[in-house]
Amino acid sequence: MGGETRNKPSGSSYPKLATGPVGQQIHSIYKDRLGQFTSGGQYESQYLLGAMYEGRVSGPDHVKLSVYSPPDLSRPTFEEATCHDFKPTNVGESFGPSWSTHWFRVILKVPSSLRDKKQLELHWDANNEGLVWTEDGQPLQGLTGGGERIEWVLPEAIRDGKEHTIYIEMACNKMFGNAPGGDTIQPPQPDTYYQLHTADIVAVNQEARALFVDFWIIGDAAREFPDDSWESHEALQVDNAIIDAFIAGHGSQESILKGREIARKYIGNRVDSSKVYDTDNQAIVYAVGHCHIDTCWLWPWAETKRKVARSWANQCDLMDRYPEHRFTCSQAQQYKWLELLYPTLYDRVKAKVKKGTFQPIGGSWVEHDTNMPSGESLVRQFLYGQRFFEGHFGERCTTFWLPDTFGYSSQLPQLCRLAGMSRFFTQKLSWNNINNFPHTTFNWVSLDGSQVLCHMAPAETYTAEAHFGDVKRSVTQHKSLDQDNTSLLIFGKGDGGGGPTFQQIEKLRRCRGISDNVGLLPRVKMGDSVDDFFARLEKKATEGTKYITWYGELYFELHRGTYTTQAKMKRNNRKSEIMLHDIEYLATLATLKESSYKYPKKDIDDMWENVLLCQFHDCLPGSSIEMCYDDSDELYAEVFKTGQKIQKAALKTLGLSMDTVGKGRLTALNTLPWHRAEIMKLPGDARSGESKFAIVEADLGLAKIHGLSTSTEFTASVKKTKEGAFLLENKHFRVTVDAGCITSLVDLKANREIVAKGGKASQLVIFDDKPLYWQAWDVEVYHLESREVLPQGTTKIAEQGPHKVSVVTETKISERSWARTTISLSASLGSQPSSVEIESEVEWRENMKFLKVEFPVDITNTEASYETQYGIIRRPTHYNTSWDMAKFEVCCHKWADLSEYGYGVSILNDSKYGFATCGNMMRLSLLRAPKAPDAHADMGRHHIRYAILPHAGPLDSRTVRAAYDFNHPMKFYGETTPDSSYSLFTAISLHGASSLILDAVKRGEDDEDVSRGDLPKRRGRSIILRIYESMGGTSRGTIRLNQSVVNVKKVCRTNILEDDEAELDIRGDEVEIELRPFEVATYRLQL
């Protein structure tokens, strides 16, 4: 019993005996091995780089070179250059110096041995930038140099064995200028020469080039996927198998094809075309090509114009080769330059725009700074930008694009919405050096409550190389995954231009292949636009997604020194904005008075475009090389020259003359929309024997002038109380000046001391200023520890009264630098605010120092208030948290204020933007002395005005108006036709809440007598008013019309692009308005 057993043959084919030992791979070694396969060095000829090219020829038989070198660093056009004689040259010769241009005539002849090769390229490399032109003057493609973007694909027509001529325009600068060594921000060397070391016709092994990218991306997967993931292990095995196949096949073409076959196991079989994206799998990373071109930075504007042509020609070429490629680019100014200087390339771009592959974005004139331009300047950035895009491409932008600016003003969301944009893209806050900004996709809310949908690329760059890691970080660094998991990946060479490369597009194809074939890597997609991306986000919001909100400014915790660097630049900006305000107002009135007067629209446009250009985010902030400021000085000189011409013509029409000598009755002009009364020094020819001063009193318009005698009640006095000490007094204040500083400032009416006990106001202090790296950009918190009080020199009385008194103090800063500070007090005028005015003349020759002026005040508050565009921003005066401490230096406009219940102190300025309030210490930043990238930044003579404005009660419109007054001084004119224009100035006025500011008066952009034909004309004439609420409360007012002077038929509320939105009732001669807190409102008065 029991069962019988029978032996059954085993069904397994697994070997019974081990054939030998097999070891565990040492992954670190096998990963390191990967680098050998695609790198130069000792194994280059043995591995893939040695098989990259199937043939190469050079020399005069195939690449015959001659050159024309223009004199004096000139940049001639194609037509100008090619009409000159060219002299023979060859590879190995050097060309320079820095910033020079050299035009090469290149005669190509393809040998029979290469004619049948699949892809032929001209490889040209002199380590500098260049542009390839056809023989008849068509720009084709930019060249970067230094081994990057050195290839130009030869057209089929050149393969015929005959001679063909092209031109190459060489620019003697690298992508990032001409800085010495490897430190790009150092001042450029003037004598750099570049050797032309490559000028070859090359037959490219396209399969080897494709395998290079295959291997690269699979290697990234091995390195960057988690070590404990099978996807990482598999990638390592695949890449090592490719190497083994290459070795086994002795580097033959068959071994390369075998390597590609192995690679497809990991990346899939669709990566050689755009069809890789044609799957139903949902992508969450949307890749869009971009080319950030700094309009000036480490190169001058003239070079930027060529960078635009080089970069955008590249993209047009890539769009022809890669149907999925979408390229977005901002800055209307750059499009205008292209249209003027490269019309055929502009037409090519325009055709791509129409096709939808080249995508204008941003809606602004340049990618501007947003900290320092005035509110009206921000409006004009959008007005001029959107009008250009609409006029040239038929559409306005819906996304504000500002990836590289140094902080974002709190009113930008409101202005974006008023300019037709509901979306905002940036990434710069990823550079914060103290706190990590907590959001990726969020609603950014303005002071008035307006919002835009903001996305900050989680790859934390606008110049991504389209690496595997960039795609991966687009999710791993995404901070808003609770609301949405999608992101933009903005890729392409940038800052110095260039844009996406073919290698980057090829890498993204393979990243998509890995996502679909293996998984784990976020799925990337090309072919969509930035607007497509935002449209999906907005759709989610309509379906219920609630995005996180961020209220107020997006403060950038870096580059705080840009509020102060290049003081002349900032002064010119402020003065030009004020001049344009006055010009537009006067020219508008002139069109009302005389039908023969032509509103100077072209001149005003030219002025605005120059001012807006200078507000570019490396120009106005002071972070460019010296050449850029030579250029901007010339532009501002032209702005002021044109402005003087326009002003003179408008005043003449209004019966006024800028010359007060022998030009009729003396008058003065107030261009601000409220009553003003000031004591002013009369021009020399108008002074009576008894006094140099007069009371000048005016509403908006012409003033009444009341001469002052020495016996008048409006007086101020000064007396010496002891050696080096003086007492200045008027009916409002008693000011004690000791050793050049204000040691006491008593408000006589409030019976209150303003200066903190033991403190010294108007005291000059100097700091050591050596940031971690970015000299012109940064001031670091540790600079505060180096505070040094400057010793005051002698003080003496400069003006004895009776209507104005002043004392002047000489201060030695160093052996080469000094300051002369004048503290003045004018007689007070009744209820008019009174202030202590200070003027500093500074000879500045320092090295890495920071000059500030201090005001310790007897005020306590945990917040200080600062003027920003169209509003007020409040910031901490303490360092409770790292977010508070990060704001140790902030931006303000015309004033900063520290107030407590019942009393406060405002500090006014006429051209400064840097400020700090720590506890009760208020500091106005005056001058810096960085040495890179401009070695001479701020060196020279400076004139700076600032004032102390104490006020009983809270911060209110008194400070706002006083700061406007301080920056818009009334001026004397000769009245050539007395009384002829008084009523004109009453044509339009604003009444009601004192917080309402009439900030701009101008003509309508498209009025039929003003339009320049950019957009369709509007019938009739109109006047545009810009009004904003300045204090943060709902405010009502009335626009009052003098219909006997200006016949207003209709009043409409508009956006800042001057699209009519709602008609308002005219009741008699008045139009009632109501603005919410910090709202900006624009009105059209149709005549």
Side-chain angles (χ1 to χ4, degrees), residues 728-1020:
L728 293 71
E729 192 167 355
N730 65 14
K731 289 186 176 180
H732 279 169
F733 301 126
R734 183 166 57 242
V735 184
T736 302
V737 178
D738 193 351
C741 297
I742 299 172
T743 56
S744 174
L745 171 52
V746 177
D747 184 330
L748 297 172
K749 292 190 174 182
N751 190 26
R752 174 163 183 149
E753 173 65 62
I754 281 86
V755 179
K757 186 176 181 180
K760 295 179 180 180
S762 189
Q763 178 166 262
L764 293 174
V765 290
I766 197 165
F767 300 82
D768 190 70
D769 190 15
K770 297 184 183 73
L772 296 175
Y773 177 66
W774 300 96
Q775 283 195 44
W777 294 260
D778 286 351
V779 57
E780 293 294 355
V781 66
Y782 53 75
H783 88 286
L784 295 168
E785 298 166 18
S786 65
R787 175 180 176 271
E788 180 183 345
V789 175
L790 291 174
Q792 302 293 341
T794 58
T795 302
K796 60 184 179 181
I797 295 174
E799 205 159 7
Q800 299 252 22
H803 309 300
K804 182 179 181 181
V805 295
S806 59
V807 294
V808 62
T809 303
E810 305 272 354
T811 302
K812 182 179 180 180
I813 299 172
S814 69
E815 291 302 319
R816 301 183 63 202
S817 302
W818 53 263
R820 182 182 296 111
T821 302
T822 303
I823 300 173
S824 302
L825 188 65
S826 296
S828 57
L829 295 177
S831 61
Q832 292 290 312
S834 187
S835 64
V836 180
E837 294 194 15
I838 305 158
E839 183 166 355
S840 291
E841 180 183 5
V842 183
E843 179 67 19
W844 185 245
R845 301 286 176 185
E846 294 305 291
N847 185 10
M848 301 183 194
K849 298 293 182 183
F850 200 154
L851 182 68
K852 305 186 184 187
V853 60
E854 293 184 339
F855 306 93
V857 295
D858 189 18
I859 301 289
T860 300
N861 200 326
T862 57
E863 287 185 327
S865 299
Y866 303 86
E867 185 188 41
T868 187
Q869 300 96 340
Y870 298 131
I872 299 169
I873 187 158
R874 294 174 176 87
R875 301 182 177 109
T877 62
H878 54 77
Y879 296 159
N880 283 2
T881 70
S882 59
W883 292 89
D884 300 324
M885 191 171 182
K887 296 177 181 177
F888 62 85
E889 181 84 5
V890 298
C891 184
C892 77
H893 279 228
K894 299 184 291 294
W895 59 265
D897 182 87
L898 185 62
S899 292
E900 62 187 24
Y901 176 73
Y903 207 88
V905 177
S906 301
I907 305 298
L908 318 180
N909 76 83
D910 77 334
S911 59
K912 296 297 164 187
Y913 296 92
F915 208 94
T917 306
C918 181
N920 67 340
M921 176 64 77
M922 306 177 78
R923 286 194 186 104
L924 177 65
S925 297
L926 301 182
L927 294 167
R928 297 186 70 225
K931 300 304 172 187
D934 177 1
H936 304 106
D938 283 328
M939 297 299 98
R941 190 70 56 88
H942 299 269
H943 296 270
I944 309 161
R945 289 175 61 241
Y946 42 100
I948 308 170
L949 178 71
H951 55 85
L955 169 67
D956 58 25
S957 59
R958 291 171 297 173
T959 290
V960 176
R961 292 184 173 191
Y964 268 96
D965 293 349
F966 192 72
N967 280 268
H968 292 71
M970 289 192 284
K971 298 175 184 176
F972 290 108
Y973 298 99
E975 198 172 355
T976 55
T977 53
D979 303 326
S980 67
S981 297
Y982 271 86
S983 60
L984 263 179
F985 291 98
T986 68
I988 303 160
S989 56
L990 178 64
H991 302 266
S994 61
S995 64
L996 294 178
I997 307 293
L998 175 57
D999 198 45
V1001 179
K1002 61 184 286 291
R1003 289 295 307 276
E1005 291 290 315
D1006 297 312
D1007 290 354
E1008 57 189 0
D1009 65 326
V1010 169
S1011 169
R1012 298 177 63 196
D1014 305 328
L1015 293 171
K1017 293 182 180 181
R1018 295 178 57 94
R1019 293 185 62 185

Side-chain angles (χ1 to χ4, degrees), residues 195 261 431 470 529 538 626 856 861 868:
Q195 184 183 57
E261 181 183 335
W431 284 39
D470 291 321
S529 69
E538 290 181 350
E626 188 172 9
N861 200 326
T868 187

Side-chain angles (χ1 to χ4, degrees), residues 582-593 597 599-600 604 650 654 984 988 1001-1004 1021-1024:
D582 290 353
I583 281 171
E584 291 184 326
Y585 173 59
L586 295 173
T588 298
L589 293 183
T591 62
L592 295 180
K593 184 177 182 185
Y597 175 84
Y599 190 78
I604 289 174
L654 296 172
L984 263 179
I988 303 160
V1001 179
K1002 61 184 286 291
R1003 289 295 307 276
R1021 302 191 301 163
S1022 67
I1023 296 172
I1024 300 296

Side-chain angles (χ1 to χ4, degrees), residues 4 68 106 176 210 271 471 478 643 708 732 784 797 826 900:
E4 297 182 359
Y68 163 63
V106 183
F176 291 94
V271 298
V471 177
H478 199 303
L708 287 171
H732 279 169
L784 295 168
I797 295 174
S826 296
E900 62 187 24

